[in-house]
Amino acid sequence: MKSHNEMSVTQLDEQLRQTPFHPRQQALNVRDDWTVWNGFKFANSYYDAEYEYFCIRNSCATYDICPMQKYYISGKDAEAMLNRMVTRDVAKLNVDRVTYCCWCTDEGRMIDDGAIFRLGPDSFMLTCGSPCVAWFKKSAFGFSDVTITDMSDNIAALSFQGPTSCEVLKKMGLDGIETLKPFGIMHFPFNGDDSKTLMVSRTGFTGDLGYELWIAPELALDLWDTLYSAGEDYNIHPYGEVATNMARLEAGFIMPGLEFNEALKTVHFQYDHTPFQLSLGWLVDFKKPHFNGRKALLKEKQQGPEYTLIKLDIEGNKSAEEAYLYNNKKCDTHIGYITSTMWSPIVKANIALAMIETKYLKGDIWAEIYYTKELRHHHIVMKCTVVKKPFWTPERAKITPPLKY
């Protein structure tokens, strides 16, 4: 038997799963540029990553989120179980609403972040980037009436983002979609058939106006065709992982594997992170009853986190990827590192997320940047300015009804 390294690209490709939308995406991926997410063949880009990014910002675009993990959690103890597991107070979440959340180990180290959809008084859907069913079942221990069902393969999901996305959904026949508020949920008969349900949430990972569409896998291609037919006059286009990473960074959203390591996957002690280190302290509700990691997180809140994730505007336009941060231009003391960075086309700035030792937050911050120009290696040290708010937060992402285009 051949080892993993000896397998051909074709053999590896055959072992990857395909999402229900893959036939349409395969035809549009002119660069044949793919990556892997949870064992699925997943588009890195289709035509040009920057073009796809501008589709998100100027028109509308789709992103396949089928590989995302989806779990139904139901029963009379479902709310209590989730409240015991996550740091946010689930009891405050109304039916047909969505909330961002995270869950931690008893040491307060973050396992993952995700979204909780409240579908009914005793029924929820929790979505996250990595498989977590084992942790959820452990968290359900001691609760007599709670059922956890992995629905990852039973729900096809498509993220639909951009300023014209609402207009396309209206053209698609989703009456009343313009009344849906951010983090809200609506249900529609698909193509007028009451036996087929399309769930739409006003959620996304781009910081722009956008929605996520949830449907049975056997209806996925019909959904794609209907959506693309309605969006033909609005320059609808698919986008991949590269454009996603650009848009989410402008919005100041964190990404696992870049801003944080999932606590159950790390080997080195404290190479994982806490919500307070990731500037997610607003997700931790100490007013509710006990939850995983409460004692450790309360101690950290009182003492302050050792590191803090911050947003930076870096002078110049050279990429600060994997750059070290220092407290002066001489680079005397190493105080942190860049986690994600890019030249933002819409902000017109060299932006970054960075992890820094909290005690240095009030002082100067300098980035040591290495770059290559015409095969020559160069080294510069550039001043950084801390940015408090997201780099880009358009009003159109918040208002209801959305602007007409």
Side-chain angles (χ1 to χ4, degrees):
M1 179 180 293
K2 290 185 177 180
S3 68
H4 178 84
N5 291 333
E6 292 174 324
M7 291 181 180
S8 67
V9 173
T10 301
Q11 288 173 313
L12 288 174
D13 185 66
E14 290 174 351
Q15 292 183 9
L16 296 177
R17 302 179 64 191
Q18 297 180 359
T19 76
F21 297 110
H22 183 77
R24 299 295 184 267
Q25 295 175 138
Q26 177 76 58
L28 293 172
N29 197 323
V30 296
R31 298 180 68 91
D32 201 25
D33 183 15
W34 303 94
T35 184
V36 181
W37 180 11
N38 286 336
F40 283 90
K41 186 177 181 180
F42 193 72
N44 200 45
S45 67
Y46 288 86
Y47 169 68
D48 178 83
E50 287 196 5
Y51 177 81
E52 295 161 28
Y53 158 84
F54 281 112
C55 286
I56 298 170
R57 293 297 186 230
N58 296 327
S59 53
C60 58
T62 61
Y63 177 66
D64 187 352
I65 53 174
C66 289
M68 181 182 291
Q69 301 298 288
K70 315 166 199 76
Y71 302 95
Y72 276 176
I73 301 174
S74 59
K76 292 182 179 180
D77 291 333
E79 180 187 288
M81 172 261 168
L82 285 170
N83 240 357
R84 173 64 172 76
M85 185 183 78
V86 305
T87 62
R88 206 164 191 179
D89 192 349
V90 179
K92 296 178 180 179
L93 184 64
N94 293 326
V95 174
D96 286 336
R97 295 293 296 169
V98 186
T99 192
Y100 177 53
C101 66
C102 66
W103 48 101
C104 302
T105 65
D106 286 341
E107 293 76 26
R109 319 303 291 189
M110 206 160 97
I111 296 172
D112 207 349
D113 64 345
I116 295 179
F117 296 63
R118 188 156 202 163
L119 306 178
D122 300 319
S123 61
F124 302 82
M125 181 173 75
L126 191 155
T127 63
C128 52
S130 298
C132 258
V133 65
W135 184 263
F136 295 162
K137 289 184 176 180
K138 287 181 180 179
S139 300
F141 184 78
F143 293 97
S144 59
D145 189 0
V146 60
T147 301
I148 300 171
T149 307
D150 188 347
M151 299 294 290
S152 301
D153 291 341
N154 302 105
I155 302 174
L158 200 62
S159 186
F160 184 45
Q161 305 287 302
T164 64
S165 55
C166 185
E167 291 301 306
V168 173
L169 293 179
K170 286 194 293 185
K171 189 176 179 181
M172 197 174 116
L174 303 189
D175 295 334
I177 189 65
E178 69 277 4
T179 66
L180 185 61
K181 295 180 179 180
F183 296 98
I185 302 170
M186 293 182 75
H187 300 266
F188 300 90
F190 179 59
N191 283 343
D193 188 341
D194 291 332
S195 66
K196 302 174 182 178
T197 301
L198 170 65
M199 185 175 82
V200 181
S201 57
R202 189 169 165 180
T203 49
F205 198 50
T206 64
D208 215 316
L209 173 67
Y211 303 83
E212 290 174 333
L213 314 179
W214 312 82
I215 201 164
E218 61 271 18
L219 300 175
L221 294 183
D222 287 341
L223 172 62
W224 181 285
D225 294 341
T226 302
L227 182 64
Y228 269 70
S229 177
E232 185 176 4
D233 293 336
Y234 292 88
N235 194 39
I236 189 172
H237 196 282
Y239 66 99
E241 189 68 9
V242 178
T244 297
N245 201 37
M246 294 173 68
R248 70 90 192 171
L249 177 52
E250 289 177 338
F253 296 153
I254 63 172
M255 177 80 83
L258 292 174
E259 275 65 57
F260 74 99
N261 289 315
E262 298 167 20
L264 301 182
K265 296 181 180 179
T266 55
V267 175
H268 296 284
F269 177 64
Q270 291 189 341
Y271 271 42
D272 49 16
H273 305 79
T274 71
F276 288 106
Q277 290 178 353
L278 294 167
S279 296
L280 295 177
W282 56 278
L283 287 182
V284 184
D285 190 343
F286 291 110
K287 295 180 181 179
K288 72 169 188 172
H290 181 70
F291 56 89
N292 285 12
R294 188 183 192 280
K295 183 178 180 180
L297 290 171
L298 182 58
K299 181 179 179 180
E300 184 180 35
K301 181 183 179 182
Q302 294 167 345
Q303 296 180 347
E306 182 181 3
Y307 289 89
T308 300
L309 186 72
I310 58 175
K311 293 178 280 291
L312 294 176
D313 184 337
I314 304 173
E315 289 182 347
N317 60 4
K318 300 303 181 185
S319 173
E321 187 174 357
E322 297 186 345
Y324 275 1
L325 299 177
Y326 295 89
N327 65 340
N328 57 43
K329 194 171 184 178
K330 295 180 180 179
C331 300
D332 290 335
T333 304
H334 171 221
I335 62 174
Y337 57 92
I338 299 293
T339 61
S340 298
T341 186
M342 65 177 283
W343 172 262
S344 169
I346 203 163
V347 181
K348 299 296 187 292
N350 198 14
I351 65 175
L353 294 179
M355 191 67 72
I356 188 173
E357 291 186 56
T358 306
K359 62 184 179 183
Y360 292 105
L361 273 178
K362 295 182 180 180
D364 290 342
I365 302 174
W366 296 80
E368 183 181 32
I369 302 172
Y370 292 85
Y371 67 97
T372 301
K373 183 178 181 181
E374 296 181 351
L375 302 180
R376 297 293 181 92
H377 298 283
H378 298 267
H379 166 253
I380 54 175
V381 181
M382 304 301 288
K383 184 71 178 291
C384 304
T385 302
V386 177
V387 178
K388 297 296 183 181
K389 296 181 179 180
F391 300 108
W392 193 70
T393 52
E395 189 63 24
R396 68 191 183 208
K398 308 170 187 176
I399 60 175
T400 303
L403 298 174
K404 294 182 179 181
Y405 289 89

